[in-house]
Amino acid sequence: MKTAEHRSSTSVLVIGSGGAGLRAAIELAERGVEVLVLSKRSRKDAHTVLAAGGINAALATMDREDTWQQHAADTLKESYRLADPRTVQIVAEGASEGIADLERYGMPFAREEDGRISQRFFGAHTYRRTAFAGDYTGLEIQRALVNRATQLQVPFLDRVYVTRILVKDGVAFGAYGFDLEDGSRYVIHADAVILATGGHTRLWRRTSSRRDENTGDSFRLALEAGGRIRDPELVQFHPSGLLEPEDAAGTLVSEAARGEGGILRNALGERFMAHYDPERMELSTRDRVALACYTEIQEGRGTANGGVLLDVSHLPRETIMRRLPRVYQILLELQLLDITTTPMEVAPTAHYSMGGVWVRPDDHGTGVEGLYAIGEAASGLHGANRLGGNSLIELLVFGRIVGQAAAEYSAGLGGQQRSAVALAEAAAEIDQTLGLNGRESVRLLQRAIRNLMTEHAGVVRDEPGLLAGLAKLQDIETRVADLGVHPDLAGFQDLAHVFDLKASLIAARATLEAALERRETRGCHNRADYPDLDPAHQVNLVWSGPGRLIYMEIGRASCRERV
């Protein structure tokens, strides 16, 4: 029986309904441009809802000396000079407008008694510039954006999995995918396509990402469309992920816990950050705090479960309930632990892809005409260390900018690209995948990737480990040929898992090859065999496929071959 195929068209297609995708869609709708948002998860449950602690902008509501220039300087410094300066300027300068947009959409920011937006300290910020809504900031942002998109009657397609960006002669003209419930196909023609499909942190065993998200979709979709990946090895490990229960390992304890005065101790009771950053202590940069936690654990001063202790029990109960309600609730639900009286056991967890699709700083075009990338799918702002709170403001600033850019691109087109060949290839890819009837389990191969990335590309890396990881990856790539795919009455999740696996294989290879090439320690990238920062590696590594890696000067599109 022939598979049903739904065909539609729109001026701009947004893939991903998290904060970045929603903000772009809102911008397009407010400009009167036809837009469609497509996602594999419900818009109300996108990954943005997990962002807890806050959103950055130099509002100077708490510290009058703060400016966007200081915000930019902090961001550049803590990126270890790998961030694109123009990207940083755009975000820092546009941050206050992003906050104003949220206020316009009804965002319930925490406020001081006189009505000022409250702002808290986050690690490595010179001033208090992190606005928040308790520690449910991402959830409240997502709610505000969903409500605004609903007011504007933005159309959504939930539960649709995109398998391919449709491209002809280097020009994107839509996307192809399938319904996760009934397997029917979707062909969506569009003048422009915006990728807002997240990062690749689900490749690690302990991660703050949930099941079946952040498997590297953006890497696969962009690469197969003709795009490139910048700095895939630069993955932020957040210092405080939960260890238990096992099925929730890596669940994040927000940086807000440290921002409000939380203390880190090892199993001996020592406040160990005094040995690593005595000036900033727990409010040091995430890369330094994560490495400190990792070191304490590796050197035998960790807990029996392999963690360290994060303690907020010395804070007033009222402060915890008002400022850290989500952390309180999570620990109570997962461990029956009351953080007002008992320390939490935590360890580093894979948290954020600071690298991603290469984009131009001014409009986030990918180099593939008509294809843009935003949010965690993109790269350029964070370099080798992301400041907490910068990701949420990034998605607002560039959601607006890319929405505008896509609108202008669509309006300027003299005609629309189409290709029967591209459509046939996209359909054949799904047909061939559904025909796989081998003995290998996609879930077992996904677990194998997570195990090898955890073992060989974690907080600390070295050449023998990375080479071993690549060897294991090659073995997994070989085993994929013997996969079995078995959709059932529950839906086509098994088919989706195969495309997740394809994405994970691409993202893992990009990460390992770039990590092997970056022979230095810089920010989140710790090489045990190259412990020093190397000025020769103050470059972006741009990956365009297996073995194809170039050095790109910061802030430029010019490249030189690897040496």
Side-chain angles (χ1 to χ4, degrees), residues 74 77-80 121-126 255 258-259 261-262 264 271-289 385 387:
D74 290 348
K77 176 185 176 184
E78 300 305 339
S79 78
Y80 291 79
F121 271 119
F122 257 26
H125 289 279
T126 302
E255 186 168 333
R258 287 182 287 122
L264 285 166
R271 191 175 178 183
F272 58 83
M273 281 309 300
H275 303 302
Y276 300 92
D277 192 340
E279 182 178 345
R280 295 183 293 189
M281 297 292 283
E282 285 83 7
L283 289 179
S284 184
T285 57
R286 285 183 175 177
D287 63 304
R288 293 186 186 182
V289 180
N385 183 59
L387 289 181

Side-chain angles (χ1 to χ4, degrees), residues 161-164 216-225 229 429 499-500 502-503 506:
Y161 193 107
V162 172
T163 59
R164 185 173 292 203
D217 295 10
S218 57
F219 285 52
R220 176 179 61 83
L221 292 172
L223 189 75
E224 293 178 353
I229 309 301
E429 182 181 26
F499 282 96
D500 286 345
K502 289 181 178 183
I506 289 170

Side-chain angles (χ1 to χ4, degrees), residues 202-325:
R202 189 65 188 172
L203 271 63
W204 282 264
R205 195 164 55 232
R206 186 182 293 141
T207 172
S208 60
S209 294
R210 297 174 296 190
R211 191 179 178 94
D212 300 331
E213 64 185 9
N214 280 345
T215 53
D217 295 10
S218 57
F219 285 52
R220 176 179 61 83
L221 292 172
L223 189 75
E224 293 178 353
R228 300 173 292 173
I229 309 301
R230 174 167 45 192
D231 296 334
E233 78 284 8
L234 300 180
V235 176
Q236 182 168 78
F237 287 82
H238 196 288
S240 51
L242 295 180
L243 292 153
E244 296 180 313
E246 185 177 350
D247 62 354
T251 298
L252 195 66
V253 175
S254 169
E255 186 168 333
R258 287 182 287 122
E260 295 296 336
I263 292 172
L264 285 166
R265 300 187 190 276
N266 59 26
L268 303 177
E270 298 169 334
R271 191 175 178 183
F272 58 83
M273 281 309 300
H275 303 302
Y276 300 92
D277 192 340
E279 182 178 345
R280 295 183 293 189
M281 297 292 283
E282 285 83 7
L283 289 179
S284 184
T285 57
R286 285 183 175 177
D287 63 304
R288 293 186 186 182
V289 180
L291 181 59
C293 294
Y294 174 88
T295 302
E296 292 295 306
I297 296 163
Q298 290 298 113
E299 293 184 356
R301 295 183 294 277
T303 62
N305 288 326
V308 294
L309 299 174
L310 174 57
D311 191 5
V312 297
S313 64
H314 57 283
L315 299 176
R317 180 181 176 84
E318 189 273 335
T319 297
I320 292 172
M321 303 307 291
R322 182 167 54 90
R323 300 273 193 158
L324 303 172

